[in-house]
Amino acid sequence: MGVKDVKPTRSELIEIKKKIKLSQSGHKLLKMKRDGLILEFFEILSKAKDVRSELDAAYAEASRKIGIANAVDGTITVKSTAFALQSKPEIELESRNIMGVVVPKIESSSVKKSINERGYGILGTSSYTDEAADAYEDLVEKIILAAEIETTMKKLLDDIEKTKRRVNALEFKVIPELQEAQVFIRLRLEEMERENTFRLKRIKG
């Protein structure tokens, strides 16, 4: 809004005062939201660091265990054992709300299984295959957790950026322009009042 486009009337002045009040109120709320989202982000960031290192460790352990199982039981036995698995974990994607930002909540059923639930006979395999299965189940759980946390972080970051842009637009553009228009109208009204007073005096004279 440029001051040239502003009508120097009392009704316009009242309207601009309302807009300033509304913009300042919105600015305050958006700043609170931005600060709250940043706090949430840093809280989740600490979890993300842990889960990422746990995920790397789980992957290294699963790779080590499957290497031993392949060496002891043979690759064909290990692969046929994997194909014997009767049930697969079900992933349910839900959502939760963090200060207006919808983030995923991933629920998984029965990733960890007992030897009996895995669907293969224990006679054809050694404990090394069982240990490899345990390690991969642990890895899958870590992947699910990492997916939830890292997607949440990305969504929070996106919303923090959007909120920051809106805060800055209000703080450095919208509110100053409205205040400038308010000053312009006041000065113009005062000027018009002085002109009217001067005109009346001349008429009386």
Side-chain angles (χ1 to χ4, degrees):
M1 177 194 287
V3 288
K4 289 178 183 176
D5 306 320
V6 177
K7 293 174 188 171
T9 62
R10 296 202 178 276
S11 60
E12 186 72 9
L13 183 62
I14 290 163
E15 202 57 40
I16 280 176
K17 278 181 182 175
K18 283 180 188 171
K19 284 179 182 175
I20 289 171
K21 198 173 179 182
L22 195 65
S23 297
Q24 286 171 336
S25 175
H27 178 255
K28 189 181 175 184
L29 288 170
L30 282 169
K31 272 180 81 175
M32 284 166 66
K33 182 185 176 179
R34 179 201 64 192
D35 295 346
L37 287 173
I38 289 168
L39 283 173
E40 286 284 346
F41 176 79
F42 279 109
E43 197 175 307
I44 291 166
L45 181 63
S46 61
K47 290 180 190 173
K49 285 176 184 172
D50 291 342
V51 82
R52 178 50 72 176
S53 60
E54 285 171 15
L55 179 58
D56 291 343
Y59 178 75
E61 183 66 2
S63 298
R64 189 179 71 82
K65 292 277 176 74
I66 200 79
I68 295 167
N70 280 330
V72 175
D73 292 339
T75 308
I76 293 168
T77 303
V78 171
K79 280 186 178 175
S80 63
T81 302
F83 285 122
L85 189 65
Q86 297 297 310
S87 62
K88 293 172 185 172
E90 288 180 8
I91 306 293
E92 281 184 28
L93 189 60
E94 296 175 1
S95 60
R96 62 193 180 99
N97 196 309
I98 300 177
M99 299 187 74
V101 184
V102 178
V103 297
K105 184 168 178 59
I106 305 171
E107 296 286 347
S108 60
S109 63
S110 61
V111 174
K112 288 272 189 188
K113 290 177 170 48
S114 66
I115 293 170
N116 297 332
E117 290 173 313
R118 286 182 186 147
Y120 59 81
I122 57 171
L123 295 175
T125 60
S126 71
S127 62
Y128 295 108
T129 298
D130 297 331
E131 284 175 21
D134 283 336
Y136 271 93
E137 285 169 358
D138 190 42
L139 177 60
V140 169
E141 285 191 341
K142 293 285 187 289
I143 288 168
I144 291 165
L145 186 58
E148 181 183 308
I149 288 173
E150 290 182 11
T151 307
T152 297
M153 281 176 64
K154 188 183 180 305
K155 283 186 168 284
L156 284 175
L157 264 180
D158 288 347
D159 218 80
I160 287 166
E161 276 306 309
K162 267 192 262 179
T163 308
K164 272 171 72 177
R165 282 198 297 272
R166 288 169 71 193
V167 166
N168 289 343
L170 284 167
E171 191 170 334
F172 300 112
K173 191 176 189 313
V174 177
I175 294 170
E177 282 182 1
L178 286 168
Q179 288 170 334
E180 190 184 345
Q182 185 183 30
V183 169
F184 166 77
I185 293 172
R186 275 189 179 146
L187 290 172
R188 190 74 189 92
L189 287 172
E190 284 169 14
E191 193 182 320
M192 285 160 72
E193 213 170 286
R194 279 196 300 272
E195 283 171 3
N196 283 338
T197 306
F198 180 70
R199 200 177 293 115
L200 284 167
K201 279 181 180 176
R202 280 186 69 183
I203 291 164
K204 281 179 182 176

